[in-house]
């Protein structure tokens, strides 16, 4: 009779800081895996007990006490199954990012993460001390190495494990999503096998939204030839079995869902991130200022997909400059989504402001000041409704606007969460088309019309900005790829356009610093990734 090792990839969504609640979730999954799935091992993600990234919670002295107590509860409660659990672990004055292997009341092995990422969204060197030793345990006569996340991204980790006798490697992870991340992970794992040793790999990732970060799950099991034998679903919790023959370590191939295409992956990331931000922070619902434009239309649609239309309230706030077709399209969208919509004109509020400021503005021509007052009237109305209802206002601005400052502080930038903060305008259009292929909810005219803030007569975005097809490419090259002006121009872009765009990006850092957090989908998003000074004399240089 063939003997097998049955391993469960526990792809779970944790509430950061809810140590006792996360422990209860781990216990429930382990008991289910043991009793219903006949598992020998269940593997949980990196820092599962605390959630990831715990940031400065790690500096709180009570966190260590609560983690220790939770681990003891798990040890006392679950028996007859090996558990691999990620958690912070303090030894004297040093804190480690640790994977513990627990079996029958005992911690039988521990691995301390060796490579602490300290770039982009990561700052683990602020908190953790790095480990150095391999960790290999034997279960059912199979020597298994344990590693944590970034360790596999560096050469030498897999080779060290094999040199320590490992025939199988398990990696626990909290790997944030960005476009192309899934391909990068799989390519990296295959590269490690080609360079350092062909043994089976099991890669367990967490899932869920944590502020601006999204964890997409997509846990995998890979055979020694780099073939994926099992893949967990993206963006959802799952307990996924991996069955291995103990004699030759052959993996049983399961039905493998194909990777998501880019637009599906991004859209599902936005839905998950919005859902988790609202639900984990206990907001009763969402408020959105609906304009009839494409940004607010896509934001409203994502919000409904995330938490249900019954918890979403759209507010249309027309002015003297609002086109009738904008009002019609906004109402049509709300009807298509079955969303409550309120219509509150800003005209009385706007006139009151102009009256109050009449003496101060006397003799001065109208300019952007009056446009911004309109946006701020809308911001006041939304925040008043938020205060009364407890619902969270979603800001509707996109990455293109945030980059060049085409947004009004305390106006259209108000809100507690910005769903499209890392979505350039051209991608807003693509995602709107994508969502309409599922069910056609966004009016075609909303997508086809020239975008406009409608703060003046016959206004369009392109009055002040380059075409978005050009602007978004420049933003990507300057912000996400750190290319110089000269390098961008050398690729065929107009120098004056590039210089004006870069200047606007640099000088609007003060706005972005005050913007709501938003979902990260690129490798370089405004927020944790982008740390530019507000006050700077660096200047505008086109040289390499």
């Amino acid at each position: 009779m063939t003997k097998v090792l049955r391993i469960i990839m526990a792809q779970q969504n944790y509430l950061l800081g809810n140590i006792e609640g996360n422990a209860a979730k781990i216990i429930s999954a382990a008991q289910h895996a043991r009793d219903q799935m006949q598992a020998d091992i269940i593997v949980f993600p990196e820092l599962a007990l605390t959630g990831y990234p715990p940031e400065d919670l790690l500096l709180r002295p009570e966190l260590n006490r609560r983690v220790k107590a939770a681990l003891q509860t798990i040890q006392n409660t679950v028996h007859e199954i090996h558990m691999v659990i990620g958690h912070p672990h303090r030894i004297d004055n040093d804190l480690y990012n640790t994977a513990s292997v627990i079996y029958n009341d005992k911690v039988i092995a521990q691995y301390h993460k060796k490579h602490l990422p300290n770039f982009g969204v990561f700052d683990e060197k602020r908190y953790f001390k790095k480990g150095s030793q391999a960790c290999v345990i034997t279960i059912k006569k199979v020597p298994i190495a344990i590693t944590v996340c970034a360790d596999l991204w560096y050469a030498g980790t897999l080779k060290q494990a094999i040199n320590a006798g490992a025939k199988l490697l398990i990696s626990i992870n909290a790997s944030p999503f960005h476009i192309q991340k899934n391909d990068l992970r799989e390519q990296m794992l295959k590269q490690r096998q080609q360079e350092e040793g062909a043994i089976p790999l099991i890669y367990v990732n967490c899932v869920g939204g944590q502020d601006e970060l999204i964890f997409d799950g997509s846990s995998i099991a890979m055979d020694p030839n780099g073939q994926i034998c099992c893949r967990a679903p993206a963006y959802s919790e799952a307990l996924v079995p991996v069955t291995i023959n103990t004699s030759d370590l052959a993996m049983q191939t399961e039905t493998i869902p194909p990777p998501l295409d880019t637009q599906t992956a991004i859209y599902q990331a936005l839905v998950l991130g919005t859902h988790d931000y609202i639900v984990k922070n206990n907001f009763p619902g969402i408020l959105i200022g609906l304009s009839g434009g494409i940004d607010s239309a896509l934001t409203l649609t994502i919000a409904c997909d995330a938490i249900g239309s019954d918890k979403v309230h759209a507010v249309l706030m027309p002015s003297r400059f609002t086109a009738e077709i904008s009002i019609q399209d906004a109402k049509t969208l709300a009807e298509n989504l079955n969303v409550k919509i309120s219509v509150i004109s800003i005209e009385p509020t706007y006139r009151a402001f102009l009256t109050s400021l009449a003496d101060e503005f006397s003799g001065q021509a109208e300019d952007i000041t009056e446009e911004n007052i309109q946006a701020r009237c809308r911001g006041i109305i939304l925040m008043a409704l938020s205060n009364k209802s407890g619902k969270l206002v979603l800001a509707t601005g996109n990455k293109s606007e945030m980059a060049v400052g085409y947004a009004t502080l305390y106006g259209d930038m108000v809100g507690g969460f910005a769903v499209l903060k890392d979505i350039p305008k051209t991608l807003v259009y693509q995602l709107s088309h994508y969502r309409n292929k599922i069910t056609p909810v966004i009016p075609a005219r909303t997508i086809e019309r020239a975008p406009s803030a409608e703060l003046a007569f016959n206004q369009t975005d392109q009055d002040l900005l380059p075409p978005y097809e050009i602007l978004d490419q420049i933003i990507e090259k300057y912000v996400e790829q750190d290319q110089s002006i000269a390098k961008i121009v050398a690729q065929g872009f107009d120098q004056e356009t590039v210089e004006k765009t870069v200047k606007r990006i640099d000088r609007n850092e003060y706005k972005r610093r005050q913007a709501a957090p938003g979902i990260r989908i690129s490798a370089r998003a405004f927020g944790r990734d982008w740390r530019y000074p507000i006050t700077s004399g660096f200047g505008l240089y086109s040289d390499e």
Side-chain angles (χ1 to χ4, degrees):
M1 181 177 178
T2 302
K3 292 185 178 180
V4 299
L5 182 67
R6 194 163 177 82
I7 302 171
I8 302 300
M9 301 190 295
Q11 185 171 284
Q12 292 192 303
N13 187 343
Y14 302 107
L15 174 56
L16 195 143
N18 185 19
I19 296 166
E20 294 75 20
N22 295 338
K25 196 165 192 169
I26 288 168
I27 288 170
S28 176
Q31 291 172 334
H32 179 84
R34 179 195 62 198
D35 300 336
Q36 306 301 319
M37 305 178 78
Q38 292 74 51
D40 300 297
I41 310 170
I42 184 167
V43 183
F44 297 93
E46 177 183 13
L47 294 182
L49 266 181
T50 58
Y52 189 94
E55 299 181 302
D56 279 7
L57 288 179
L58 292 166
L59 305 179
R60 306 299 303 177
E62 61 268 30
L63 180 134
N64 183 58
R65 174 186 58 78
R66 290 174 60 187
V67 167
K68 288 178 65 176
L71 280 171
Q72 191 62 56
T73 298
I74 294 169
Q75 290 172 228
N76 294 342
T77 306
V78 184
H79 305 111
E80 302 304 322
I81 184 172
H82 289 82
M83 296 174 284
V84 182
I85 301 173
H87 61 91
H89 179 63
R90 185 169 294 280
I91 301 176
D92 299 325
N93 293 323
D94 295 324
L95 188 66
Y96 294 91
N97 185 338
T98 296
S100 287
V101 184
I102 297 173
Y103 185 71
N104 286 354
D105 296 331
K106 292 185 174 63
V107 176
I108 62 173
Q110 286 187 321
Y111 175 84
H112 304 313
K113 188 174 183 178
K114 296 191 302 179
H115 296 282
L116 304 177
N118 215 63
F119 57 88
V121 300
F122 305 105
D123 52 6
E124 291 195 21
K125 289 183 180 179
R126 175 179 172 89
Y127 308 106
F128 296 115
K129 182 179 177 65
K130 66 179 182 179
S132 59
Q133 301 300 314
C135 173
V136 178
I137 58 170
T138 299
I139 301 174
K140 283 193 168 181
K141 299 183 179 180
V142 178
I144 304 169
I146 308 296
T147 64
V148 178
C149 203
D151 288 341
L152 270 183
W153 290 82
Y154 293 87
T157 299
L158 181 58
K159 186 175 182 179
Q160 183 188 41
I162 292 172
N163 289 342
K167 302 297 183 183
L168 167 70
L169 185 138
I170 292 174
S171 174
I172 66 171
N173 301 268
S175 179
F177 165 82
H178 65 71
I179 303 170
Q180 285 94 41
K181 185 65 174 287
N182 196 48
D183 288 342
L184 288 173
R185 290 189 201 120
E186 295 182 10
Q187 291 168 11
M188 175 273 297
L189 293 175
K190 292 177 182 179
Q191 182 179 349
R192 289 289 164 265
Q193 288 180 321
Q194 292 169 1
E195 295 175 351
E196 300 181 32
I199 65 172
L201 303 172
I202 293 176
Y203 182 101
V204 179
N205 193 24
C206 64
V207 68
Q210 176 54 43
D211 297 339
E212 62 263 54
L213 298 182
I214 303 297
F215 299 91
D216 60 314
S218 304
S219 304
I220 58 173
M222 182 178 287
D223 73 12
N225 299 315
Q227 296 299 310
I228 295 173
C229 298
C230 185
R231 179 187 285 117
Y235 304 109
S236 61
E237 293 188 292
L239 298 179
V240 180
V242 179
T243 303
I244 299 175
N245 187 320
T246 57
S247 60
D248 60 5
L249 299 184
M251 283 184 173
Q252 178 178 314
T253 301
E254 306 289 342
T255 300
I256 303 170
L260 300 179
D261 64 81
T262 300
Q263 289 184 11
T264 303
I266 293 171
Y267 193 85
Q268 290 191 14
L270 297 177
V271 170
L272 176 61
T274 303
H275 172 276
D276 278 12
Y277 196 85
I278 301 302
V279 172
K280 290 180 179 181
N281 286 297
N282 298 310
F283 289 105
I286 287 172
L287 280 163
I288 295 175
L290 192 60
S291 68
I294 192 168
D295 295 321
S296 63
L298 181 60
T299 303
L300 183 70
T301 305
I302 290 168
C304 292
D305 288 344
I307 66 168
S309 300
D310 59 319
K311 295 181 181 178
V312 180
H313 181 185
V315 185
L316 176 59
M317 295 167 284
S319 75
R320 67 188 69 173
F321 303 115
T322 303
E324 181 61 32
I325 57 175
S326 296
I327 296 173
Q328 293 171 4
D329 288 349
K331 290 181 176 179
T332 299
L333 175 66
E335 182 179 346
N336 291 345
L337 292 169
N338 196 27
V339 166
K340 174 186 176 182
I341 183 169
S342 299
V343 181
I344 305 173
S345 172
I346 67 166
E347 273 299 309
T349 312
Y350 181 45
R351 287 196 300 267
F353 273 111
L354 294 181
T355 299
S356 297
L357 293 165
D359 290 343
E360 296 294 329
F361 288 179
S362 178
Q364 301 181 67
E366 290 190 3
D367 56 16
I368 195 173
T369 306
E370 284 77 14
E371 295 184 21
N372 287 340
I373 289 173
Q374 296 170 64
R376 290 177 179 131
C377 288
R378 294 186 172 107
I380 290 170
I381 291 169
L382 287 171
M383 292 311 301
L385 294 173
S386 176
N387 289 158
K388 283 295 184 184
S389 67
K391 294 181 178 179
L392 180 73
V393 176
L394 293 187
T396 61
N398 59 64
K399 187 170 189 174
S400 307
E401 295 169 348
M402 290 298 100
V404 297
Y406 192 63
T408 303
L409 270 176
Y410 327 120
D412 56 309
M413 286 179 64
V414 301
F417 197 62
V419 178
L420 305 180
K421 186 175 181 178
D422 200 29
I423 306 294
K425 189 77 169 190
T426 48
L427 184 53
V428 170
Y429 284 104
Q430 293 170 24
L431 292 176
S432 297
H433 282 294
Y434 163 82
R435 181 57 179 81
N436 270 4
K437 290 179 182 178
I438 300 173
T439 49
V441 291
I442 300 175
R445 186 167 56 188
T446 298
I447 300 175
E448 294 164 0
R449 288 173 62 198
S452 170
E454 293 192 324
L455 299 174
F457 285 117
N458 299 318
Q459 182 185 59
T460 68
D461 292 1
Q462 259 59 75
D463 295 339
L464 296 174
L465 301 176
Y468 282 115
E469 293 80 4
I470 301 298
L471 178 65
D472 287 351
Q473 291 185 68
I474 296 172
I475 292 171
E476 179 180 1
K477 294 176 186 302
Y478 183 71
V479 173
E480 298 180 24
Q481 301 174 16
D482 282 321
Q483 291 187 16
S484 69
I485 291 172
K487 187 170 183 178
I488 297 171
V489 171
Q491 296 169 67
F493 294 90
D494 174 70
Q495 179 151 345
E496 182 180 2
T497 301
V498 174
E499 289 182 350
K500 285 183 177 179
T501 300
V502 168
K503 187 175 182 179
R504 292 191 71 164
I505 293 171
D506 289 349
R507 75 184 182 197
N508 280 288
E509 179 64 23
Y510 77 100
K511 283 188 181 182
R512 292 189 293 271
R513 199 73 67 88
Q514 299 178 69
I519 298 167
R520 171 186 182 263
I521 62 99
S522 72
R524 189 83 182 279
F526 293 127
R528 294 172 63 97
D529 293 297
W530 177 266
R531 303 180 189 183
Y532 262 61
I534 296 173
T535 306
S536 171
F538 186 73
L540 189 65
Y541 292 92
S542 60
D543 295 337
E544 280 292 341

